[in-house]
Amino acid sequence: MSNNFLTDDFLLHTPMARTLYHEHAKGMPIYDYHCHLPVDEIASNRSFENLTQVWLSGDHYKWRAMRANGVSERLITGVASDWDKFEAWAATVPDTLRNPLYHWTHMELKRPFGVTTLLGPDTARDVYDTCGAMLQQPEFSTRGLFKQMNVKVVCTTDDPVDSLEHHIAMRSGDDFGTKVYPAFRPDMGMAVDRPEAFNAWVDRLEVASGIDCTDFDSYMNALRQRHDFFHEQGCRLSDHGLERAYADDFTAKEIADIFDRVRSGSVLAEGDVHKFWSCMLLEFARMDAAKGWVQQFHMGALRGVNTRLLNQLGPDTGFDSIGDFEMAKPLGAFLDKLDQTNELTKTILYNLNPRDNDLFATMIGDFQDGSVPGKMQYGSGWWFLDQKTGMIDQLNSLSNMGLLSRFIGMLTDSRSFLSYPRHEYFRRILCGLLGEDVANGELPDDVEMLGAMVRNICWENAVGYFDMDV
């Protein structure tokens, strides 16, 4: 690796930045309160045969870059061998310069593998073999990687119909140093715009809950039963993937009729779909509030844009983009409906379109009520925004419009067990930003005050915010 690339002081350009990172941020544990890691692989303590399995499988960030570089789908998600896929990725890496993948790739080789070689066609075989040999060691299993990266809490993403069998097994097993909790992701419970998929999911809900969903009331009873079950298994947060919030007016009779029609296979008009979504968002939020959960809303993704490749490869394979939906008015109305009845629980809002940064940062301020420090959170840079510019812009918007000091910090939002250097990336960017302010005379040269703020953002604020044992 070149002498000035990815050194110990990477992204730390001032003395204060270096002090804040090395003495305050670097050693803090990781609280990963939102990810898509496969829980069965944590429960079984899976070991990986090679870098392709642990690094490329399911990573649509890398897949998009490879497609842009002219790589055949056979070498991305197709039937090619693990080595051929890795070789194709290694050949792509030199062409990712200035894409965050170039940073992440080499950070993930450096930690946990200790590999400082720049990845490219000429180094691919050596890197593959070196890391492959390490992956056979116990400290490179899923749980071993958690320990190496000092990951203390992981919240997976789980469908309400999931059995949570792997979570239950881990809760009754030996303590391996990382607490793993489920998170309630009920997106399919709103999917009345896709009657066939929704009805198949309701059939699964009936089996999971033991309740026949003959009408909307019994449907809600089944969902509440699953919400109760998740709570019993340690779940304390929900997550919702939405284009935007919905707050249309509706009556109980309208919702009951909409449910009956979609269960009979009818295709709904857009207005009825939006009424049902508005109802379900309120119902899920009220369940969360009654139990003191945290609710998360990821908003702004335009999904499945490429119909041909979506049909060929399925969802979450790299064919989604930033959307430009109306945000402020429906989001404000939704949160206000909950606040009026004192049913607005702790809430994290994530935007995908950077135009909405200040909008979201000001929206949380409308509903801070003094009951909990940082009750309303403007979530970290998400998906297309979890890169250097996106993180800095999110930190600046939150600083300008709210209290950065109450921020609960970074998450991985990843399907890869090698993604934890993203927390290091965030921490370096945070410390770099504060260090520059000190150098410019915009913040006091007070390492104790700033160091406490950094430790809080990296770990302590999340510990206090989420009602989960660490």
Side-chain angles (χ1 to χ4, degrees):
M1 192 169 289
S2 61
N3 291 334
N4 63 346
F5 175 65
L6 214 64
T7 67
D8 286 346
D9 293 332
F10 177 57
L11 300 176
L12 307 172
H13 303 303
T14 65
M16 178 61 82
R18 293 188 281 273
T19 297
L20 290 174
Y21 177 72
H22 292 297
E23 296 184 13
H24 297 274
K26 183 177 180 180
M28 299 302 292
I30 287 175
Y31 201 125
D32 192 15
Y33 53 89
H34 175 69
C35 74
H36 297 277
L37 293 176
V39 67
D40 61 318
E41 295 182 3
I42 305 172
S44 65
N45 197 23
R46 178 185 175 182
S47 294
F48 300 90
E49 294 179 15
N50 54 56
L51 263 180
T52 300
Q53 291 183 8
V54 71
W55 212 23
L56 299 181
S57 298
D59 191 340
H60 50 77
Y61 290 83
K62 293 184 178 71
W63 296 350
R64 285 169 67 96
M66 293 170 76
R67 291 178 188 127
N69 212 39
V71 176
S72 164
E73 198 65 38
R74 183 182 69 86
L75 294 165
I76 303 172
T77 62
V79 297
S81 69
D82 285 350
W83 160 248
D84 287 343
K85 289 179 179 179
F86 182 81
E87 186 178 36
W89 166 242
T92 298
V93 169
D95 293 309
T96 65
L97 291 169
R98 297 207 83 240
N99 186 291
L101 282 165
Y102 196 79
H103 285 167
W104 294 344
T105 293
H106 293 101
M107 292 179 74
E108 290 167 14
L109 288 175
K110 189 173 182 179
R111 294 185 67 214
F113 297 105
V115 171
T116 57
T117 304
L118 293 179
L119 183 58
D122 56 334
T123 61
R125 185 82 247 183
D126 182 58
V127 169
Y128 189 78
D129 290 345
T130 298
C131 295
M134 292 185 194
L135 285 168
Q136 310 314 306
Q137 302 170 15
E139 57 266 38
F140 288 87
S141 67
T142 56
R143 297 183 183 185
L145 289 168
F146 284 161
K147 184 175 182 180
Q148 284 201 66
M149 301 304 292
N150 200 16
V151 181
K152 295 299 184 183
V153 179
V154 169
C155 296
T156 59
T157 302
D158 307 270
D159 192 289
V161 301
D162 287 349
S163 68
L164 301 187
E165 59 185 291
H166 300 296
H167 283 281
I168 293 170
M170 284 187 286
R171 281 169 63 82
S172 60
D174 295 334
D175 183 0
F176 57 90
T178 302
K179 301 292 186 183
V180 183
Y181 296 101
F184 191 78
R185 178 76 176 246
D187 292 358
M188 284 305 301
M190 296 175 55
V192 292
D193 57 323
R194 295 174 287 144
E196 184 176 352
F198 176 76
N199 284 322
W201 184 85
V202 175
D203 292 344
R204 294 178 63 199
L205 175 65
E206 290 180 326
V207 174
S209 65
I211 297 174
D212 291 335
C213 298
T214 56
D215 54 22
F216 182 71
D217 287 342
S218 55
Y219 174 64
M220 287 307 307
N221 287 336
L223 284 171
R224 292 187 187 99
Q225 191 272 350
R226 300 308 295 166
H227 200 272
D228 292 343
F229 173 72
F230 269 60
H231 190 83
E232 291 168 3
Q233 304 311 321
C235 179
R236 297 294 182 270
L237 69 166
S238 68
D239 182 48
H240 308 263
L242 306 167
E243 290 184 345
R244 62 172 177 87
Y246 294 87
D248 294 28
D249 293 329
F250 58 85
T251 66
K253 185 178 184 303
E254 286 176 321
I255 299 302
D257 177 64
I258 290 169
F259 182 82
D260 290 343
R261 283 190 283 126
V262 76
R263 285 296 277 160
S264 69
S266 298
V267 175
L268 301 175
E270 183 178 67
D272 288 339
V273 170
H274 289 181
K275 286 181 179 181
F276 193 85
W277 287 351
S278 300
C279 172
M280 292 310 301
L281 283 177
L282 289 173
E283 292 289 350
F284 287 133
R286 287 165 178 157
M287 291 185 213
D288 291 349
K291 291 188 176 73
W293 285 15
V294 175
Q295 59 184 357
Q296 303 177 90
F297 296 98
H298 288 84
M299 290 180 280
L302 183 63
R303 298 179 186 270
V305 175
N306 188 322
T307 303
R308 177 178 63 85
L309 292 177
L310 178 70
N311 290 338
Q312 177 182 329
L313 300 174
D316 302 320
T317 50
F319 303 105
D320 310 319
S321 67
I322 293 172
D324 57 353
F325 311 102
E326 179 187 16
M327 289 293 174
K329 189 173 182 179
L331 178 57
F334 166 64
L335 296 174
D336 189 53
K337 285 185 178 182
L338 293 169
D339 187 73
Q340 287 183 43
T341 56
N342 199 28
E343 293 175 297
L344 179 58
T345 191
K346 290 183 283 189
T347 302
I348 311 172
L349 304 178
Y350 308 85
N351 64 292
L352 195 56
N353 193 323
R355 66 160 200 194
D356 297 325
N357 285 8
D358 288 353
L359 187 161
F360 275 54
T362 55
M363 185 66 70
I364 66 168
D366 294 336
F367 296 96
Q368 305 283 20
D369 59 12
S371 62
V372 178
K375 173 183 175 178
M376 304 294 293
Q377 288 281 328
Y378 175 32
S380 61
W382 164 53
W383 199 344
F384 294 111
L385 302 184
D386 64 352
Q387 25 76 5
K388 180 183 174 184
T389 301
M391 291 182 194
I392 290 174
D393 288 348
Q394 186 269 349
L395 291 169
N396 282 335
S397 286
L398 180 55
S399 298
N400 288 333
M401 311 297 177
L403 297 180
L404 176 62
S405 58
R406 291 299 183 180
F407 182 39
I408 56 174
M410 187 57 178
L411 46 83
T412 60
D413 189 35
S414 177
R415 292 167 173 80
S416 171
F417 288 89
L418 295 185
S419 291
Y420 284 100
R422 292 187 190 179
H423 283 259
E424 176 187 341
Y425 200 50
F426 167 80
R427 291 174 181 187
R428 288 177 177 273
I429 288 167
L430 171 66
C431 294
L433 201 62
L434 296 174
E436 290 177 8
D437 285 350
V438 171
N440 294 334
E442 297 173 19
L443 285 177
D445 188 0
D446 186 334
V447 70
E448 293 304 318
M449 179 170 65
L450 295 173
M453 178 180 178
V454 166
R455 295 192 302 273
N456 287 340
I457 293 171
C458 292
W459 169 254
E460 298 291 350
N461 285 347
V463 172
Y465 190 73
F466 297 103
D467 182 23
M468 295 181 285
D469 293 335
V470 298

